[in-house]
Coordinates of all heavy atoms in Angstrom, one line a residue:
Chain D
C12 N 38.7 -2.3 -5.2 CA 39.0 -1.6 -6.6 C 39.5 -0.2 -6.0 O 39.0 0.4 -5.1 CB 37.8 -1.4 -7.4 SG 38.0 -0.5 -8.8
A13 N 40.6 0.3 -6.8 CA 41.0 1.7 -6.6 C 40.1 2.6 -7.3 O 39.6 2.4 -8.4 CB 42.5 1.8 -7.1
E14 N 39.9 3.8 -6.6 CA 39.1 4.8 -7.2 C 39.7 5.3 -8.5 O 40.8 5.5 -8.7 CB 39.1 6.0 -6.3 CG 38.1 7.1 -6.6 CD 38.1 8.2 -5.6 OE1 39.0 8.4 -4.8 OE2 37.1 9.0 -5.6
L80 N 34.1 6.5 -5.0 CA 33.8 5.9 -3.6 C 32.4 5.5 -3.4 O 32.0 4.7 -2.6 CB 34.3 7.0 -2.7 CG 35.7 7.3 -2.7 CD1 36.1 8.3 -1.6 CD2 36.7 6.1 -2.5
V110 N 35.4 0.4 -2.9 CA 36.4 1.2 -3.7 C 37.2 2.1 -2.7 O 36.7 2.8 -1.9 CB 35.5 2.2 -4.5 CG1 36.3 3.1 -5.5 CG2 34.5 1.4 -5.4
N111 N 38.4 2.0 -2.9 CA 39.4 2.6 -2.1 C 40.1 3.8 -2.7 O 40.3 3.9 -3.9 CB 40.5 1.6 -1.7 CG 40.0 0.3 -1.0 OD1 39.4 0.5 0.0 ND2 40.4 -0.8 -1.6
P112 N 40.3 4.8 -1.8 CA 40.8 6.2 -2.4 C 42.2 6.0 -2.8 O 42.9 5.1 -2.4 CB 40.7 7.2 -1.2 CG 40.3 6.3 0.0 CD 39.8 5.0 -0.4

Side-chain angles (χ1 to χ4, degrees):
Chain D
C12 176
E14 188 178 18
L80 298 179
V110 181
N111 299 304

